Amino acid sequence: MHAGLALGAFYRYIYKPLRSGGFNAGADKRKRTFVKAAVAGAFALHELKVAKRFATANPTLCKGVQAVSDSFSELTGKLRNGTATEADLDASRNAFDALKQDAARSGYDFKEREIAVPTTRRSHRP
């Protein structure tokens, strides 16, 4: 479950916007896209930390979760600095795919789960 939440946050707020040019200079709502990606990255790292605690009994899964966490830490730092590339994105996606395959082979298959990052806009109620 926790790895699925991390995957959902990664895919929706980091992978898709980077692939569609949402982080490029001049992109519509670029700052908001970066903020959401940073929040999603922090959320994904937290969920991966929780998943790692559950995976400690299985060395293969434990290593896979650690690899994804390391990749996400690096990608999140690069997103904050504005230096993330498609190669960085692909490395994180590949780490997630490897974890999913290892989990499935061990009988712990997981799927992407939808999550929503809270917006920074305040709603005004009359």
Side-chain angles (χ1 to χ4, degrees):
M1 179 168 123
H2 295 283
L5 289 169
L7 177 60
F10 167 76
Y11 186 74
R12 181 173 181 181
Y13 295 105
I14 298 171
Y15 186 82
K16 285 173 47 177
L18 190 58
R19 284 284 185 216
S20 67
F23 296 108
N24 296 343
D28 190 36
K29 301 178 184 175
R30 182 175 182 243
K31 279 187 178 180
R32 185 178 73 177
T33 302
F34 269 107
V35 170
K36 284 188 173 190
V39 171
F43 173 79
L45 286 171
H46 168 75
E47 291 302 309
L48 288 168
K49 187 183 293 186
V50 173
K52 186 177 179 184
R53 285 195 305 252
F54 284 110
T56 56
N58 184 318
T60 301
L61 292 181
C62 194
K63 288 177 187 174
V65 171
Q66 186 62 51
V68 173
S69 294
D70 292 346
S71 180
F72 260 54
S73 291
E74 186 175 329
L75 179 63
T76 301
K78 288 182 177 186
L79 284 168
R80 279 192 209 117
N81 296 330
T83 60
T85 65
E86 287 199 33
D88 299 319
L89 178 67
D90 288 339
S92 292
R93 182 65 188 210
N94 291 340
F96 246 125
D97 289 344
L99 174 61
K100 283 178 66 173
Q101 291 171 359
D102 289 342
R105 280 193 295 270
S106 298
Y108 300 103
D109 196 20
F110 67 88
K111 293 180 173 53
E112 176 184 333
R113 301 208 31 163
E114 282 291 318
I115 63 112
V117 171
T119 63
T120 57
R121 299 177 83 186
R122 293 184 179 166
S123 62
H124 293 82
R125 293 188 178 183

